[in-house]
Amino acid sequence: MKSFPLTFILPFILLNFCYSQFNSSSLEFNVPELGETYDDQIYGDNSNYSVFDFNGDGKPDLIDAEDNSSGSVWTNGSQKYWKVYLNTGTAFSSTAIQWNIPDLGETYDDQIYGDNSNYSVFDFNGDGKPDLIDAEDNSSGSVWTNGSQKYWKVYLNTGTAFSNTAIQWNIPDLGETYDDQIYGDYSNYSLSDFNGDNKPDLIDAEDNNSGNVWNSGNQKYWKVYLNTGATFSSSAIQWNIPELGEAYDDQFYGDHSNYSVFDFNGDGKPDLIDAEDNNSSTIWIGGNQKYWKVYLNTGGGFNSSFIQWNIPDLGENFDDQFYGDNSNYTVYDFDGDNLPDLIDAEDNNSGYVWTNGSQKYWKVYSNTTAMNSIESITKTNVSLIASPNPTSGIFSIDLQQFTFPSVSIFNNLGQTIYHEETLSSHIFNFDLKPYDQGIYYIKIKNKNETIQGTIIKIN
């Protein structure tokens, strides 16, 4: 049973509620001229750039890894580097800073997320800045080994470059031919911070004996090897996943992957997103509304029930696909509010990146969740507990510290489903069972104090 603190906010401003979705209208986010044919493609085989928060300010920066003149990584004399265009909050800077990278002896060090990419960037030590991971010993063509110990090389982020020397990051033996490959077509594992400690954990999604996702009886699961701060644990925890009816639920970032993991509710833990209705082989649709199914992270697995996450109509054949060769969009927190936004990089009419005159840009659809998860907001002087949360019906809140408060509950359209002006009981109980699954918003007022928070209804 999970309980989350509600949040004290003063003054309180009631917003126009439109939650659990991306905005239906987009912001124009200017991108610099990269001279790049594929600047409308993210995570494809030909993509030589990506977005990461390189300077630790909470907003993703644009990384350009290839000098188009040479077809190789950028160089300044013998120094290899990437160009980093910093995020200004409303656009990427038109000029880049030089971000030095170590010499990996890697033919594809100008390629990110391609089939031949054996490295990636993740914040391995939890300092808020991404480090460079090199997973393959080029001499052997396999993962790095020290005796029988498999490991990756991690080049730490110094704040202005990657260190020239690597630390050894031990990985468990997954019995995996492709444990030297990240984001490739055959990669059945990934990295994500599953327990919310700001360090990526290793996820192994496939039982090599069966060639399918792990299962215990009828329960499908992934193995999660937690990040200890200096290595991955040698033993895994079982992370239950819902039944997606998905042949590729053992595959990350492959051409056939229609799901992914992102922190959708801002609690610091990734949720599972299922973007495709297997019956139609297209995106989920309710009437005219396109949506993704989001299975929230409970702290020990993914919830077996989903919430509907509405997405705008991008006119995109592949809006049910993540990280595939044809994917021209992704999700990333572009405005630094700890909630992922939807990025659409291609004008479907032209087949190229969006342009306004000579200015190239991406469309950013902001996440309209009005507040962070009630577990993640830190500006709190009063802590109240709503339990259980998520709930399939009744939840309770202890209000002993208040005197005759008013309580209001709103649905995701901003409609009031409950209001009590002077509550006399010290324990507030409410039953959401008659209501649709999704996120509900609570406002509690007492004199000059106001508390607002969210309750998640599941089936």
Side-chain angles (χ1 to χ4, degrees):
M1 182 177 293
K2 187 77 171 178
S3 299
F4 292 153
L6 294 174
T7 302
F8 176 77
I9 300 177
L10 183 66
F12 176 80
I13 300 175
L14 183 59
L15 301 175
N16 181 21
F17 286 100
C18 187
Y19 296 95
S20 303
Q21 65 180 14
F22 296 114
N23 203 312
S24 59
S25 58
S26 64
L27 305 173
E28 186 174 310
F29 206 92
N30 292 345
V31 301
E33 174 58 71
L34 305 179
E36 171 64 73
T37 308
Y38 299 98
D39 50 11
D40 62 337
Q41 189 178 84
I42 305 177
Y43 304 116
D45 288 345
N46 301 299
S47 179
N48 299 309
Y49 66 93
S50 187
V51 288
F52 288 97
D53 176 17
F54 260 52
N55 61 350
D57 65 355
K59 298 187 292 289
D61 309 303
L62 179 64
I63 296 87
D64 178 16
E66 182 183 277
D67 180 351
N68 295 322
S69 301
S70 65
S72 303
V73 68
W74 296 94
T75 57
N76 186 348
S78 60
Q79 177 63 60
K80 293 184 175 183
Y81 69 94
W82 294 340
K83 287 187 173 182
V84 175
Y85 297 85
L86 295 178
N87 187 321
T88 67
T90 57
F92 293 120
S93 175
S94 58
T95 58
I97 60 174
Q98 176 176 321
W99 194 277
N100 293 344
I101 66 170
D103 191 338
L104 307 179
E106 172 63 71
T107 307
Y108 299 98
D109 50 12
D110 62 337
Q111 189 178 84
I112 305 177
Y113 303 114
D115 289 344
N116 301 298
S117 180
N118 300 308
Y119 66 93
S120 187
V121 289
F122 279 95
D123 177 17
F124 260 54
N125 60 350
D127 65 355
K129 299 187 290 290
D131 310 303
L132 178 65
I133 297 90
D134 179 15
E136 182 183 277
D137 180 351
N138 295 323
S139 301
S140 66
S142 304
V143 66
W144 296 94
T145 57
N146 186 349
S148 60
Q149 178 62 62
K150 294 183 176 183
Y151 70 93
W152 294 339
K153 287 187 172 181
V154 176
Y155 297 85
L156 295 177
N157 186 320
T158 67
T160 57
F162 294 121
S163 175
N164 283 323
T165 56
I167 59 174
Q168 177 176 320
W169 195 277
N170 294 343
I171 66 169
D173 192 338
L174 307 179
E176 172 64 70
T177 307
Y178 299 98
D179 50 11
D180 62 335
Q181 190 179 83
I182 306 178
Y183 303 115
D185 288 344
Y186 302 101
S187 182
N188 300 310
Y189 65 92
S190 185
L191 296 169
S192 192
D193 176 17
F194 263 51
N195 61 348
D197 65 355
N198 296 320
K199 298 187 291 290
D201 308 304
L202 179 64
I203 297 91
D204 178 16
E206 183 182 277
D207 179 352
N208 295 322
N209 293 324
S210 67
N212 297 315
V213 67
W214 297 95
N215 62 74
S216 177
N218 294 323
Q219 178 62 63
K220 293 184 175 184
Y221 70 93
W222 296 337
K223 288 187 173 182
V224 176
Y225 296 85
L226 295 177
N227 186 320
T228 67
T231 185
F232 294 118
S233 175
S234 58
S235 58
I237 61 174
Q238 177 176 321
W239 195 276
N240 293 343
I241 67 170
E243 174 59 69
L244 306 179
E246 172 63 73
Y248 299 99
D249 49 12
D250 62 337
Q251 188 178 86
F252 285 90
Y253 306 114
D255 291 343
H256 304 286
S257 181
N258 300 310
Y259 67 93
S260 189
V261 289
F262 288 96
D263 176 17
F264 261 54
N265 62 346
D267 65 355
K269 299 186 291 289
D271 309 303
L272 178 65
I273 296 89
D274 178 17
E276 182 183 279
D277 180 349
N278 294 321
N279 294 324
S280 65
S281 296
T282 56
I283 192 169
W284 297 96
I285 301 176
N288 293 323
Q289 178 61 63
K290 293 184 175 184
Y291 67 93
W292 296 335
K293 289 184 174 182
V294 176
Y295 296 85
L296 295 177
N297 186 320
T298 66
F302 294 118
N303 205 299
S304 58
S305 301
F306 67 89
I307 60 174
Q308 177 176 321
W309 196 277
N310 294 342
I311 68 167
D313 191 338
L314 307 179
E316 171 64 73
N317 292 331
F318 300 99
D319 48 13
D320 62 338
Q321 189 177 84
F322 286 90
Y323 303 114
D325 291 343
N326 301 299
S327 180
N328 300 310
Y329 66 93
T330 190
V331 290
Y332 214 107
D333 176 18
F334 259 53
D335 54 10
D337 64 355
N338 295 320
L339 297 166
D341 309 304
L342 179 64
I343 296 89
D344 178 18
E346 182 183 278
D347 180 349
N348 295 321
N349 293 325
S350 67
Y352 297 103
V353 67
W354 297 95
T355 57
N356 185 349
S358 61
Q359 177 61 61
K360 294 183 175 183
Y361 69 93
W362 294 341
K363 286 187 173 182
V364 175
Y365 296 85
S366 298
N367 189 317
T368 60
T369 302
M371 65 193 80
N372 289 351
S373 159
I374 51 183
E375 192 176 29
S376 66
I377 298 178
T378 57
K379 295 179 180 178
T380 176
N381 299 325
V382 176
S383 179
L384 295 181
I385 300 298
S387 178
N389 189 13
T391 180
S392 60
I394 296 174
F395 67 90
S396 301
I397 303 174
D398 188 341
L399 298 175
Q400 294 189 57
Q401 56 191 304
F402 290 103
T403 304
F404 303 114
S406 69
V407 178
S408 301
I409 302 177
F410 306 89
N411 63 17
N412 66 352
L413 298 176
Q415 298 166 335
T416 302
I417 65 170
Y418 175 86
H419 177 75
E420 180 76 23
E421 188 60 36
T422 54
L423 194 69
S424 57
S425 174
H426 288 163
I427 302 296
F428 172 70
N429 298 302
F430 190 79
D431 190 0
L432 283 172
K433 192 171 184 178
Y435 299 93
D436 294 337
Q437 64 183 7
I439 300 177
Y440 291 82
Y441 302 87
I442 302 176
K443 181 177 72 171
I444 301 172
K445 295 184 68 176
N446 185 66
K447 298 180 181 179
N448 294 325
E449 296 178 336
T450 299
I451 297 161
Q452 66 181 23
T454 56
I455 295 290
I456 297 168
K457 163 68 187 309
I458 59 176
N459 286 338

